[in-house]
Amino acid sequence: RRAVGGGRRLVSGKVERHGLFINGMFQDAKGGAVLPVVSPRDGTVIAEVANAAGEDVSAAVAAARSASDAGAWAAMPATDRGKALHRMAHQIREERLDLARWETLDCGKPLAESLADMDACADFFSYYAEIAPKALESESLPVPEDGVSSHLTKEPVGVVGCITPWNFPLMQAVVKVAPALAAGCSVVLKPSPWASLTCLHLGRIAASSGVPPGVLNVITGGPPGGDAGVILGQHPDLDKLSFTGSGPTGQALLHASAENLRPTSLELGGKSAMIVLEDADLESCVDWAMVGIFLCTGQVCSATSRLLVHEAVADRFLGALVDATRHRLRVGDPLDPETNMGPCVSREQLEKINRAIESARVEGCEALLGDPEEWLSPAVAASGGFYVAPQIFKAPLESSLWNEEVFGPVLAVHTFSTDDEAVALANATCYGLANCVMGSSTDRVRRVSASLRSGVVWENCNQPLYPSTPFGGCKQSGFGREYGHLGLEEFVSHKTTISADPGFCWNWYQPSTTPDK
Protein backbone atom coordinates (compact mmCIF):
# COMPACT_ATOMS: atom_id res chain seq x y z
CA ARG A 1 0.00 0.00 0.00
CA ARG A 2 2.98 2.33 -0.04
CA ALA A 3 2.94 5.18 -2.51
CA VAL A 4 6.34 4.24 -3.90
CA GLY A 5 4.89 0.92 -5.05
CA GLY A 6 2.38 2.67 -7.26
CA GLY A 7 -0.66 0.94 -5.74
CA ARG A 8 -0.60 -1.71 -8.46
CA ARG A 9 -0.89 -5.47 -8.25
CA LEU A 10 -1.69 -8.21 -10.72
CA VAL A 11 -5.26 -9.50 -10.79
CA SER A 12 -5.77 -13.03 -12.11
CA GLY A 13 -2.28 -12.79 -13.60
CA LYS A 14 -3.51 -10.56 -16.42
CA VAL A 15 -4.15 -6.93 -15.54
CA GLU A 16 -2.98 -4.57 -12.84
CA ARG A 17 -5.36 -3.20 -10.24
CA HIS A 18 -4.83 0.38 -9.14
CA GLY A 19 -6.07 1.59 -5.77
CA LEU A 20 -7.24 4.98 -4.56
CA PHE A 21 -4.51 7.34 -3.40
CA ILE A 22 -5.61 8.72 -0.04
CA ASN A 23 -3.46 10.27 2.69
CA GLY A 24 -0.21 9.30 1.00
CA MET A 25 -1.05 5.63 0.42
CA PHE A 26 -2.80 3.48 -2.16
CA GLN A 27 -5.78 1.53 -0.90
CA ASP A 28 -8.74 -0.41 -2.23
CA ALA A 29 -12.20 1.11 -2.23
CA LYS A 30 -13.81 0.24 1.10
CA GLY A 31 -16.50 -1.79 -0.64
CA GLY A 32 -13.94 -3.49 -2.86
CA ALA A 33 -15.58 -2.28 -6.07
CA VAL A 34 -13.49 -1.88 -9.22
CA LEU A 35 -13.92 -0.52 -12.73
CA PRO A 36 -12.33 -2.13 -15.80
CA VAL A 37 -10.03 0.12 -17.83
CA VAL A 38 -10.89 -0.47 -21.48
CA SER A 39 -8.30 0.66 -24.00
CA PRO A 40 -9.82 2.44 -27.01
CA ARG A 41 -6.92 1.07 -29.04
CA ASP A 42 -8.42 -2.42 -29.27
CA GLY A 43 -11.31 -2.62 -26.78
CA THR A 44 -9.40 -4.84 -24.35
CA VAL A 45 -9.27 -4.47 -20.57
CA ILE A 46 -5.78 -3.29 -19.67
CA ALA A 47 -6.21 -2.60 -15.95
CA GLU A 48 -8.69 -2.12 -13.13
CA VAL A 49 -9.15 0.93 -10.92
CA ALA A 50 -10.91 1.19 -7.60
CA ASN A 51 -14.48 2.44 -7.86
CA ALA A 52 -14.81 4.89 -4.98
CA ALA A 53 -18.04 5.10 -3.00
CA GLY A 54 -19.25 7.85 -0.70
CA GLU A 55 -17.16 6.73 2.27
CA ASP A 56 -14.02 6.72 0.10
CA VAL A 57 -14.73 10.25 -1.10
CA SER A 58 -15.28 11.37 2.50
CA ALA A 59 -12.01 9.73 3.53
CA ALA A 60 -10.14 11.60 0.81
CA VAL A 61 -11.76 14.93 1.74
CA ALA A 62 -11.03 14.26 5.44
CA ALA A 63 -7.37 13.57 4.62
CA ALA A 64 -7.16 16.81 2.66
CA ARG A 65 -8.91 18.72 5.46
CA SER A 66 -6.56 17.28 8.07
CA ALA A 67 -3.53 18.25 5.98
CA SER A 68 -4.97 21.74 5.43
CA ASP A 69 -5.76 22.26 9.11
CA ALA A 70 -2.35 20.97 10.19
CA GLY A 71 -0.93 23.78 8.11
CA ALA A 72 2.51 22.33 7.41
CA TRP A 73 2.13 22.59 3.63
CA ALA A 74 0.20 25.87 3.65
CA ALA A 75 2.64 27.50 6.08
CA MET A 76 5.69 26.29 4.19
CA PRO A 77 7.45 29.10 2.29
CA ALA A 78 6.39 29.14 -1.34
CA THR A 79 9.99 28.60 -2.37
CA ASP A 80 10.06 25.31 -0.42
CA ARG A 81 6.76 24.17 -1.92
CA GLY A 82 8.31 25.09 -5.24
CA LYS A 83 11.18 22.70 -4.62
CA ALA A 84 8.70 19.84 -4.32
CA LEU A 85 6.99 20.97 -7.52
CA HIS A 86 10.34 21.09 -9.30
CA ARG A 87 10.98 17.51 -8.15
CA MET A 88 7.60 16.49 -9.54
CA ALA A 89 8.48 18.13 -12.86
CA HIS A 90 11.82 16.30 -12.91
CA GLN A 91 10.20 12.95 -12.19
CA ILE A 92 7.60 13.43 -14.92
CA ARG A 93 10.40 14.16 -17.38
CA GLU A 94 12.25 11.06 -16.20
CA GLU A 95 9.15 8.89 -16.68
CA ARG A 96 7.73 10.64 -19.74
CA LEU A 97 7.82 7.61 -22.05
CA ASP A 98 6.16 5.24 -19.56
CA LEU A 99 3.56 7.86 -18.63
CA ALA A 100 2.90 8.65 -22.28
CA ARG A 101 2.37 4.97 -23.11
CA TRP A 102 -0.14 4.65 -20.29
CA GLU A 103 -1.89 7.80 -21.50
CA THR A 104 -2.10 6.49 -25.05
CA LEU A 105 -3.38 3.08 -23.99
CA ASP A 106 -5.92 4.70 -21.68
CA CYS A 107 -7.41 7.45 -23.87
CA GLY A 108 -6.30 6.56 -27.41
CA LYS A 109 -4.34 9.62 -28.46
CA PRO A 110 -1.25 9.02 -30.62
CA LEU A 111 1.95 8.49 -28.68
CA ALA A 112 3.49 11.69 -30.07
CA GLU A 113 0.60 13.69 -28.61
CA SER A 114 0.93 11.94 -25.25
CA LEU A 115 4.66 12.66 -25.15
CA ALA A 116 3.96 16.33 -25.82
CA ASP A 117 1.38 16.29 -23.02
CA MET A 118 3.93 14.86 -20.57
CA ASP A 119 6.38 17.61 -21.48
CA ALA A 120 3.65 20.19 -20.90
CA CYS A 121 2.82 18.67 -17.50
CA ALA A 122 6.42 18.98 -16.38
CA ASP A 123 6.54 22.54 -17.68
CA PHE A 124 3.42 23.49 -15.68
CA PHE A 125 4.93 22.26 -12.43
CA SER A 126 8.15 24.14 -13.14
CA TYR A 127 6.25 27.29 -14.11
CA TYR A 128 4.18 27.46 -10.92
CA ALA A 129 7.20 26.58 -8.80
CA GLU A 130 8.94 29.60 -10.33
CA ILE A 131 6.16 32.21 -10.23
CA ALA A 132 4.47 31.38 -6.92
CA PRO A 133 7.00 32.95 -4.50
CA LYS A 134 6.69 36.38 -6.12
CA ALA A 135 3.00 36.10 -7.00
CA LEU A 136 2.03 35.15 -3.43
CA GLU A 137 3.92 37.96 -1.72
CA SER A 138 1.85 40.27 0.45
CA GLU A 139 1.13 43.67 -1.02
CA SER A 140 1.27 47.02 0.81
CA LEU A 141 -1.84 49.13 0.26
CA PRO A 142 -1.92 52.94 0.36
CA VAL A 143 -4.12 54.49 3.05
CA PRO A 144 -4.81 58.22 3.53
CA GLU A 145 -4.37 58.37 7.32
CA ASP A 146 -1.24 58.88 9.39
CA GLY A 147 -0.56 56.14 11.92
CA VAL A 148 -2.37 53.51 9.85
CA SER A 149 -1.01 51.00 7.34
CA SER A 150 -2.54 48.16 5.33
CA HIS A 151 -1.45 45.11 3.42
CA LEU A 152 -3.07 42.39 1.33
CA THR A 153 -2.13 38.78 2.09
CA LYS A 154 -2.65 35.88 -0.31
CA GLU A 155 -3.50 32.65 1.44
CA PRO A 156 -4.44 29.18 0.18
CA VAL A 157 -8.17 28.83 -0.31
CA GLY A 158 -8.09 25.51 1.58
CA VAL A 159 -9.40 22.13 0.43
CA VAL A 160 -9.97 21.97 -3.32
CA GLY A 161 -11.94 19.40 -5.29
CA CYS A 162 -10.73 18.99 -8.88
CA ILE A 163 -12.83 17.02 -11.35
CA THR A 164 -11.13 16.49 -14.69
CA PRO A 165 -11.98 15.03 -18.13
CA TRP A 166 -10.61 12.21 -20.25
CA ASN A 167 -9.25 13.98 -23.35
CA PHE A 168 -6.01 15.27 -21.75
CA PRO A 169 -6.10 13.13 -18.60
CA LEU A 170 -2.86 14.09 -16.88
CA MET A 171 -2.50 17.57 -18.34
CA GLN A 172 -6.03 18.65 -17.38
CA ALA A 173 -5.29 17.44 -13.87
CA VAL A 174 -1.92 19.18 -13.68
CA VAL A 175 -3.24 22.59 -14.77
CA LYS A 176 -5.38 22.48 -11.62
CA VAL A 177 -3.15 20.54 -9.24
CA ALA A 178 0.08 22.45 -9.92
CA PRO A 179 -1.25 25.95 -9.09
CA ALA A 180 -3.33 24.59 -6.19
CA LEU A 181 -0.26 22.97 -4.62
CA ALA A 182 1.85 26.04 -5.34
CA ALA A 183 -0.72 28.16 -3.50
CA GLY A 184 -0.56 25.84 -0.47
CA CYS A 185 -3.93 24.12 -0.93
CA SER A 186 -4.80 20.50 -0.27
CA VAL A 187 -6.44 18.69 -3.19
CA VAL A 188 -8.83 15.84 -3.91
CA LEU A 189 -8.47 14.98 -7.59
CA LYS A 190 -11.19 13.00 -9.34
CA PRO A 191 -10.22 12.10 -12.94
CA SER A 192 -12.64 10.72 -15.51
CA PRO A 193 -13.50 7.03 -15.17
CA TRP A 194 -12.65 6.71 -18.87
CA ALA A 195 -9.00 7.73 -18.36
CA SER A 196 -7.48 7.95 -14.92
CA LEU A 197 -4.29 5.85 -14.85
CA THR A 198 -1.74 8.65 -15.21
CA CYS A 199 -3.53 10.68 -12.53
CA LEU A 200 -2.94 7.83 -10.08
CA HIS A 201 0.73 7.94 -11.03
CA LEU A 202 0.62 11.65 -10.19
CA GLY A 203 -0.23 10.74 -6.58
CA ARG A 204 2.80 8.46 -6.42
CA ILE A 205 5.01 11.14 -7.95
CA ALA A 206 3.80 13.74 -5.46
CA ALA A 207 4.54 11.46 -2.50
CA SER A 208 8.03 10.61 -3.70
CA SER A 209 8.69 14.32 -4.33
CA GLY A 210 8.07 15.33 -0.72
CA VAL A 211 4.43 16.43 -0.85
CA PRO A 212 3.04 15.54 2.62
CA PRO A 213 0.33 12.90 3.04
CA GLY A 214 -3.17 14.24 2.52
CA VAL A 215 -2.09 17.22 0.45
CA LEU A 216 -2.84 15.40 -2.84
CA ASN A 217 -5.44 12.64 -2.93
CA VAL A 218 -6.63 10.87 -6.09
CA ILE A 219 -9.94 9.00 -6.20
CA THR A 220 -11.20 7.06 -9.20
CA GLY A 221 -14.47 5.55 -10.31
CA GLY A 222 -17.84 6.33 -11.76
CA PRO A 223 -20.76 4.66 -13.52
CA PRO A 224 -21.70 1.93 -13.58
CA GLY A 225 -21.70 1.27 -9.86
CA GLY A 226 -20.29 4.54 -8.61
CA ASP A 227 -20.78 8.30 -8.52
CA ALA A 228 -17.56 9.56 -6.97
CA GLY A 229 -17.50 12.75 -9.04
CA VAL A 230 -21.06 13.70 -8.09
CA ILE A 231 -20.39 12.90 -4.43
CA LEU A 232 -17.20 14.96 -4.42
CA GLY A 233 -18.92 17.88 -6.12
CA GLN A 234 -21.64 17.88 -3.47
CA HIS A 235 -19.32 17.43 -0.49
CA PRO A 236 -19.86 20.20 2.06
CA ASP A 237 -16.26 20.28 3.30
CA LEU A 238 -14.70 21.57 0.08
CA ASP A 239 -13.57 25.20 0.07
CA LYS A 240 -13.29 25.38 -3.72
CA LEU A 241 -14.39 23.29 -6.70
CA SER A 242 -12.68 23.30 -10.10
CA PHE A 243 -14.30 21.37 -12.94
CA THR A 244 -13.53 20.75 -16.60
CA GLY A 245 -16.05 18.84 -18.66
CA SER A 246 -19.51 18.99 -20.18
CA GLY A 247 -22.00 21.80 -19.77
CA PRO A 248 -24.79 19.74 -18.15
CA THR A 249 -22.40 18.30 -15.57
CA GLY A 250 -20.98 21.75 -14.91
CA GLN A 251 -24.47 23.13 -14.31
CA ALA A 252 -25.26 20.34 -11.84
CA LEU A 253 -22.01 20.96 -9.96
CA LEU A 254 -22.70 24.68 -9.86
CA HIS A 255 -26.08 23.98 -8.25
CA ALA A 256 -24.28 21.87 -5.63
CA SER A 257 -21.78 24.66 -5.01
CA ALA A 258 -24.63 27.15 -4.61
CA GLU A 259 -26.00 25.01 -1.77
CA ASN A 260 -22.65 25.41 -0.01
CA LEU A 261 -21.88 28.99 -1.15
CA ARG A 262 -18.60 27.66 -2.52
CA PRO A 263 -16.45 29.35 -5.18
CA THR A 264 -16.39 27.27 -8.35
CA SER A 265 -14.55 27.52 -11.64
CA LEU A 266 -15.92 25.82 -14.74
CA GLU A 267 -14.21 25.12 -18.06
CA LEU A 268 -16.93 23.68 -20.26
CA GLY A 269 -17.68 23.05 -23.91
CA GLY A 270 -17.16 25.06 -27.05
CA LYS A 271 -18.07 25.45 -30.69
CA SER A 272 -15.09 27.53 -31.76
CA ALA A 273 -14.69 29.13 -35.17
CA MET A 274 -11.66 29.51 -37.43
CA ILE A 275 -12.00 32.51 -39.74
CA VAL A 276 -9.94 32.46 -42.94
CA LEU A 277 -9.76 35.89 -44.58
CA GLU A 278 -9.15 36.09 -48.32
CA ASP A 279 -5.59 37.43 -47.87
CA ALA A 280 -4.51 34.66 -45.49
CA ASP A 281 -1.62 32.31 -46.22
CA LEU A 282 -3.68 29.33 -47.32
CA GLU A 283 -0.92 26.76 -46.95
CA SER A 284 -0.45 27.46 -43.25
CA CYS A 285 -4.22 27.79 -42.82
CA VAL A 286 -4.66 24.22 -44.07
CA ASP A 287 -2.27 22.95 -41.42
CA TRP A 288 -3.91 24.98 -38.64
CA ALA A 289 -7.39 23.87 -39.72
CA MET A 290 -6.29 20.24 -39.43
CA VAL A 291 -4.75 20.88 -36.00
CA GLY A 292 -7.96 22.59 -34.92
CA ILE A 293 -10.23 19.62 -35.67
CA PHE A 294 -8.11 16.44 -35.81
CA LEU A 295 -5.84 16.90 -32.77
CA CYS A 296 -6.86 14.38 -30.10
CA THR A 297 -9.39 13.00 -32.63
CA GLY A 298 -11.31 16.26 -32.36
CA GLN A 299 -12.03 15.63 -28.67
CA VAL A 300 -10.87 19.08 -27.57
CA CYS A 301 -13.07 21.67 -25.89
CA SER A 302 -11.44 24.48 -27.89
CA ALA A 303 -11.50 22.59 -31.22
CA THR A 304 -12.29 24.93 -34.11
CA SER A 305 -15.10 22.72 -35.35
CA ARG A 306 -16.62 25.59 -37.38
CA LEU A 307 -14.62 26.82 -40.36
CA LEU A 308 -15.57 30.18 -41.88
CA VAL A 309 -13.83 30.82 -45.22
CA HIS A 310 -14.05 33.96 -47.32
CA GLU A 311 -16.05 33.20 -50.45
CA ALA A 312 -13.29 34.51 -52.70
CA VAL A 313 -10.90 31.72 -51.67
CA ALA A 314 -13.34 29.06 -50.46
CA ASP A 315 -13.05 26.64 -53.39
CA ARG A 316 -9.28 26.84 -53.51
CA PHE A 317 -8.88 26.51 -49.75
CA LEU A 318 -11.33 23.66 -49.32
CA GLY A 319 -9.73 21.78 -52.20
CA ALA A 320 -6.34 22.11 -50.51
CA LEU A 321 -7.77 21.11 -47.12
CA VAL A 322 -9.48 18.01 -48.47
CA ASP A 323 -6.34 17.01 -50.38
CA ALA A 324 -4.11 17.51 -47.33
CA THR A 325 -6.48 15.57 -45.09
CA ARG A 326 -6.53 12.64 -47.53
CA HIS A 327 -2.75 12.54 -47.89
CA ARG A 328 -1.49 13.58 -44.46
CA LEU A 329 -3.97 12.24 -41.92
CA ARG A 330 -3.24 8.65 -40.88
CA VAL A 331 -5.87 7.00 -38.69
CA GLY A 332 -4.73 3.94 -36.83
CA ASP A 333 -3.08 2.29 -33.84
CA PRO A 334 -2.02 5.14 -31.52
CA LEU A 335 1.18 3.28 -30.61
CA ASP A 336 2.24 3.20 -34.28
CA PRO A 337 4.64 6.13 -34.84
CA GLU A 338 3.06 6.70 -38.27
CA THR A 339 -0.39 7.32 -36.78
CA ASN A 340 -1.43 10.94 -36.26
CA MET A 341 -5.08 10.35 -35.37
CA GLY A 342 -6.05 7.57 -33.01
CA PRO A 343 -9.40 6.23 -31.83
CA CYS A 344 -11.93 8.16 -29.78
CA VAL A 345 -11.96 7.45 -26.07
CA SER A 346 -14.84 4.99 -25.73
CA ARG A 347 -17.56 3.09 -27.52
CA GLU A 348 -20.11 5.56 -26.14
CA GLN A 349 -18.18 8.50 -27.60
CA LEU A 350 -17.83 6.69 -30.94
CA GLU A 351 -21.58 6.15 -31.09
CA LYS A 352 -22.21 9.81 -30.21
CA ILE A 353 -19.93 10.98 -33.02
CA ASN A 354 -21.52 8.59 -35.52
CA ARG A 355 -24.98 9.85 -34.59
CA ALA A 356 -23.84 13.42 -35.25
CA ILE A 357 -22.45 12.40 -38.65
CA GLU A 358 -25.68 10.66 -39.60
CA SER A 359 -27.71 13.71 -38.50
CA ALA A 360 -25.49 15.92 -40.66
CA ARG A 361 -26.26 13.80 -43.71
CA VAL A 362 -30.00 13.80 -42.96
CA GLU A 363 -29.98 17.60 -42.54
CA GLY A 364 -28.44 18.14 -45.95
CA CYS A 365 -24.79 18.76 -45.07
CA GLU A 366 -22.50 18.05 -48.02
CA ALA A 367 -19.68 15.59 -47.28
CA LEU A 368 -16.35 16.56 -48.86
CA LEU A 369 -14.12 13.61 -47.92
CA GLY A 370 -15.96 10.76 -49.62
CA ASP A 371 -16.40 7.23 -48.27
CA PRO A 372 -15.41 7.11 -44.56
CA GLU A 373 -14.59 3.39 -44.77
CA GLU A 374 -11.51 4.12 -46.88
CA TRP A 375 -9.82 5.67 -43.84
CA LEU A 376 -9.55 2.49 -41.80
CA SER A 377 -7.25 -0.32 -42.85
CA PRO A 378 -8.69 -3.85 -42.52
CA ALA A 379 -6.45 -4.46 -39.50
CA VAL A 380 -7.60 -1.30 -37.75
CA ALA A 381 -11.25 -1.91 -38.62
CA ALA A 382 -11.03 -5.43 -37.18
CA SER A 383 -9.03 -4.43 -34.08
CA GLY A 384 -12.01 -3.89 -31.80
CA GLY A 385 -10.89 -0.32 -31.17
CA PHE A 386 -13.08 2.77 -31.27
CA TYR A 387 -11.93 4.30 -34.55
CA VAL A 388 -13.79 6.92 -36.54
CA ALA A 389 -13.06 8.46 -39.92
CA PRO A 390 -12.57 12.23 -40.23
CA GLN A 391 -15.39 14.24 -41.79
CA ILE A 392 -15.59 17.65 -43.46
CA PHE A 393 -19.06 18.97 -44.32
CA LYS A 394 -20.42 22.08 -45.94
CA ALA A 395 -23.05 22.85 -43.33
CA PRO A 396 -26.18 25.03 -43.39
CA LEU A 397 -26.31 27.54 -40.55
CA GLU A 398 -29.47 25.95 -39.14
CA SER A 399 -27.96 22.44 -39.03
CA SER A 400 -27.17 20.66 -35.78
CA LEU A 401 -23.62 20.16 -36.96
CA TRP A 402 -23.06 23.91 -37.21
CA ASN A 403 -24.56 24.67 -33.81
CA GLU A 404 -23.89 21.72 -31.48
CA GLU A 405 -20.65 20.44 -30.05
CA VAL A 406 -19.75 17.01 -31.46
CA PHE A 407 -16.42 16.43 -29.70
CA GLY A 408 -15.01 14.46 -32.58
CA PRO A 409 -13.11 14.91 -35.89
CA VAL A 410 -16.07 16.45 -37.71
CA LEU A 411 -15.63 19.87 -39.34
CA ALA A 412 -18.52 22.14 -40.38
CA VAL A 413 -17.72 24.67 -43.14
CA HIS A 414 -19.50 27.85 -44.22
CA THR A 415 -18.51 30.88 -46.29
CA PHE A 416 -18.74 34.63 -45.66
CA SER A 417 -18.32 37.77 -47.74
CA THR A 418 -17.44 40.52 -45.22
CA ASP A 419 -15.53 40.75 -41.96
CA ASP A 420 -18.67 41.83 -40.12
CA GLU A 421 -20.51 38.77 -41.40
CA ALA A 422 -17.67 36.49 -40.28
CA VAL A 423 -17.70 38.00 -36.79
CA ALA A 424 -21.49 37.74 -36.53
CA LEU A 425 -21.43 34.09 -37.57
CA ALA A 426 -18.57 33.24 -35.20
CA ASN A 427 -20.33 34.93 -32.28
CA ALA A 428 -23.72 33.36 -33.01
CA THR A 429 -23.29 30.53 -30.52
CA CYS A 430 -24.06 29.93 -26.87
CA TYR A 431 -20.37 29.11 -26.33
CA GLY A 432 -17.44 31.45 -25.86
CA LEU A 433 -14.29 29.44 -25.28
CA ALA A 434 -11.99 30.22 -28.22
CA ASN A 435 -11.80 31.40 -31.83
CA CYS A 436 -9.07 32.08 -34.34
CA VAL A 437 -8.64 34.42 -37.28
CA MET A 438 -6.16 34.09 -40.16
CA GLY A 439 -5.02 36.90 -42.45
CA SER A 440 -1.96 38.78 -43.73
CA SER A 441 -2.93 42.26 -42.48
CA THR A 442 -2.11 42.56 -38.79
CA ASP A 443 -4.43 45.53 -38.30
CA ARG A 444 -7.34 43.75 -39.94
CA VAL A 445 -6.74 40.54 -38.02
CA ARG A 446 -6.65 42.52 -34.77
CA ARG A 447 -9.90 44.31 -35.60
CA VAL A 448 -11.65 41.01 -36.25
CA SER A 449 -10.04 39.44 -33.19
CA ALA A 450 -11.21 42.26 -30.93
CA SER A 451 -14.82 41.68 -32.00
CA LEU A 452 -14.89 37.97 -31.19
CA ARG A 453 -16.65 37.02 -27.95
CA SER A 454 -14.46 34.32 -26.45
CA GLY A 455 -11.98 33.88 -23.65
CA VAL A 456 -9.16 33.04 -26.08
CA VAL A 457 -8.44 34.23 -29.62
CA TRP A 458 -5.63 32.86 -31.77
CA GLU A 459 -4.28 35.09 -34.54
CA ASN A 460 -2.62 33.27 -37.45
CA CYS A 461 -2.33 30.10 -35.38
CA ASN A 462 -4.68 27.59 -33.76
CA GLN A 463 -4.61 25.81 -30.38
CA PRO A 464 -1.19 26.76 -28.97
CA LEU A 465 -1.27 27.32 -25.22
CA TYR A 466 1.59 27.88 -22.81
CA PRO A 467 1.90 27.79 -19.01
CA SER A 468 1.92 31.60 -18.94
CA THR A 469 -1.18 32.18 -21.11
CA PRO A 470 -4.51 32.19 -19.22
CA PHE A 471 -7.20 29.95 -20.66
CA GLY A 472 -10.95 29.95 -20.08
CA GLY A 473 -14.23 31.02 -21.59
CA CYS A 474 -17.36 33.09 -21.35
CA LYS A 475 -21.06 32.48 -21.95
CA GLN A 476 -21.85 28.76 -21.62
CA SER A 477 -18.19 27.82 -21.88
CA GLY A 478 -17.86 28.62 -18.19
CA PHE A 479 -15.91 31.05 -16.03
CA GLY A 480 -12.64 31.19 -14.18
CA ARG A 481 -9.18 30.82 -15.68
CA GLU A 482 -6.48 28.19 -15.87
CA TYR A 483 -2.81 28.66 -16.82
CA GLY A 484 -0.73 31.73 -16.02
CA HIS A 485 -0.93 34.01 -12.98
CA LEU A 486 -4.72 33.92 -13.18
CA GLY A 487 -4.65 30.14 -12.81
CA LEU A 488 -2.79 30.57 -9.52
CA GLU A 489 -5.23 33.24 -8.34
CA GLU A 490 -8.09 30.71 -8.62
CA PHE A 491 -6.68 28.94 -5.55
CA VAL A 492 -5.91 32.01 -3.46
CA SER A 493 -7.95 33.73 -0.76
CA HIS A 494 -7.26 37.42 -0.16
CA LYS A 495 -7.04 38.82 3.36
CA THR A 496 -6.90 42.55 4.02
CA THR A 497 -5.12 43.64 7.18
CA ILE A 498 -5.37 47.22 8.46
CA SER A 499 -2.94 48.12 11.28
CA ALA A 500 -2.81 51.19 13.49
CA ASP A 501 0.08 52.36 15.67
CA PRO A 502 -0.30 51.49 19.37
CA GLY A 503 -2.41 54.15 21.08
CA PHE A 504 -3.92 55.38 17.84
CA CYS A 505 -7.62 56.18 18.02
CA TRP A 506 -10.10 58.48 16.39
CA ASN A 507 -11.45 59.95 19.62
CA TRP A 508 -14.80 59.69 17.91
CA TYR A 509 -16.87 59.71 21.11
CA GLN A 510 -16.02 62.98 22.88
CA PRO A 511 -17.56 64.25 26.11
CA SER A 512 -20.60 66.38 25.49
CA THR A 513 -20.03 70.12 25.19
CA THR A 514 -23.57 70.79 26.40
CA PRO A 515 -23.84 71.31 30.19
CA ASP A 516 -25.79 68.68 32.05
CA LYS A 517 -29.35 69.74 32.89
Side-chain angles (χ1 to χ4, degrees):
R1 291 179 61 195
R2 296 181 181 276
V4 174
R8 298 169 289 169
R9 64 177 186 273
L10 287 177
V11 180
S12 304
K14 294 181 180 180
V15 298
E16 291 180 336
R17 177 174 293 174
H18 299 252
L20 310 170
F21 186 74
I22 298 175
N23 206 27
M25 294 189 299
F26 285 95
Q27 53 195 263
D28 291 338
K30 295 192 185 302
V34 296
L35 271 182
V37 178
V38 177
S39 176
R41 175 177 176 252
D42 55 11
T44 61
V45 175
I46 58 171
E48 292 178 343
V49 295
N51 197 355
E55 57 185 328
D56 301 301
V57 176
S58 292
V61 174
R65 175 58 64 193
S66 178
S68 179
D69 290 349
W73 180 254
M76 186 183 296
T79 51
D80 290 344
R81 291 197 298 267
K83 291 176 183 176
L85 267 62
H86 274 307
R87 288 192 289 270
M88 292 180 73
H90 175 75
Q91 195 162 340
I92 289 171
R93 293 185 178 105
E94 288 286 305
E95 299 182 26
R96 69 187 289 268
L97 182 56
D98 287 341
L99 290 170
R101 285 181 62 86
W102 275 118
E103 198 81 298
T104 288
L105 290 170
D106 204 8
C107 75
K109 63 174 55 185
L111 186 60
E113 289 185 23
S114 294
L115 286 167
D117 288 356
M118 298 308 109
D119 293 338
C121 289
D123 291 345
F124 273 105
F125 276 113
S126 295
Y127 172 78
Y128 283 110
E130 291 292 334
I131 73 161
K134 180 68 175 177
L136 297 176
E137 286 181 353
S138 62
E139 176 186 351
S140 295
L141 304 174
V143 294
E145 192 161 21
D146 292 338
V148 179
S149 61
S150 181
H151 64 275
L152 184 69
T153 304
K154 298 179 180 180
E155 300 178 343
V157 73
V159 176
V160 179
C162 298
I163 303 176
T164 55
W166 42 260
N167 52 346
F168 294 83
L170 188 60
M171 195 167 82
Q172 290 281 14
V174 166
V175 299
K176 300 178 188 297
V177 169
L181 295 184
C185 296
S186 296
V187 177
V188 179
L189 170 63
K190 168 58 181 68
S192 167
W194 284 353
S196 50
L197 294 179
T198 51
C199 289
L200 289 166
H201 283 281
L202 186 63
R204 170 184 58 80
I205 289 169
S208 64
S209 299
V211 176
V215 170
L216 176 61
N217 307 274
V218 187
I219 55 174
T220 55
D227 272 318
V230 173
I231 297 168
L232 178 63
Q234 295 174 343
H235 202 287
D237 205 23
L238 295 181
D239 299 308
K240 159 85 179 185
L241 180 65
S242 179
F243 170 76
T244 298
S246 72
T249 302
Q251 289 175 326
L253 290 171
L254 191 58
H255 280 293
S257 288
E259 292 290 328
N260 295 285
L261 292 178
R262 176 176 56 219
T264 298
S265 55
L266 302 174
E267 197 265 275
L268 307 176
K271 193 67 179 176
S272 303
M274 175 178 175
I275 299 173
V276 179
L277 304 175
E278 77 275 14
D279 63 349
D281 181 277
L282 298 187
E283 183 177 351
S284 63
C285 287
V286 165
D287 186 68
W288 286 122
M290 293 177 67
V291 168
I293 194 59
F294 300 137
L295 184 74
C296 198
T297 318
Q299 302 165 130
V300 181
C301 54
S302 60
T304 45
S305 55
R306 294 183 299 155
L307 177 62
L308 285 161
V309 188
H310 194 283
E311 59 187 14
V313 295
D315 289 344
R316 184 154 52 102
F317 178 72
L318 291 177
L321 176 60
V322 167
D323 184 69
T325 302
R326 285 175 172 158
H327 290 93
R328 298 186 206 168
L329 196 66
R330 297 177 295 278
V331 181
D333 181 352
L335 290 178
D336 184 339
E338 289 295 307
T339 294
N340 53 23
M341 193 177 93
C344 49
V345 72
S346 67
R347 188 172 303 281
E348 293 91 333
Q349 185 65 14
L350 175 61
E351 291 170 353
K352 177 178 179 287
I353 294 169
N354 283 333
R355 286 195 300 271
I357 293 170
E358 181 58 29
S359 293
R361 297 183 189 280
V362 170
E363 293 179 358
C365 298
E366 180 187 348
L368 301 183
L369 280 179
D371 184 1
E373 293 187 3
E374 70 186 46
W375 289 92
L376 306 182
S377 69
V380 169
S383 68
F386 312 133
Y387 296 91
V388 63
Q391 296 286 345
I392 300 175
F393 287 99
K394 288 184 178 179
L397 296 178
E398 67 275 10
S399 65
S400 299
L401 183 62
W402 184 259
N403 292 285
E404 298 175 8
E405 185 179 39
V406 175
F407 225 62
V410 185
L411 181 63
V413 181
H414 203 79
T415 60
F416 66 91
S417 58
T418 67
D419 293 0
D420 288 345
E421 182 187 8
V423 168
L425 291 172
N427 287 339
T429 173
C430 63
Y431 298 108
L433 188 53
N435 289 292
C436 77
V437 55
M438 319 292 285
S440 62
S441 168
T442 300
D443 289 343
R444 183 183 178 191
V445 166
R446 290 285 163 86
R447 283 196 303 271
V448 172
S449 172
S451 300
L452 295 172
R453 289 199 61 206
S454 56
V456 176
V457 179
W458 290 290
E459 298 177 346
N460 286 316
C461 57
N462 197 348
Q463 303 301 315
L465 291 168
Y466 307 94
S468 60
T469 55
F471 179 76
C474 60
K475 300 192 280 186
Q476 291 189 28
S477 290
F479 43 78
R481 290 295 181 267
E482 295 178 330
Y483 301 46
H485 283 262
L486 296 183
L488 181 64
E489 287 288 329
E490 291 287 336
F491 302 100
V492 167
S493 177
H494 298 89
K495 178 188 289 183
T496 301
T497 302
I498 301 172
S499 303
D501 293 341
F504 174 89
C505 67
W506 281 340
N507 287 316
W508 191 265
Y509 298 98
Q510 295 291 329
S512 175
T513 57
T514 303
D516 293 337
K517 293 184 179 180

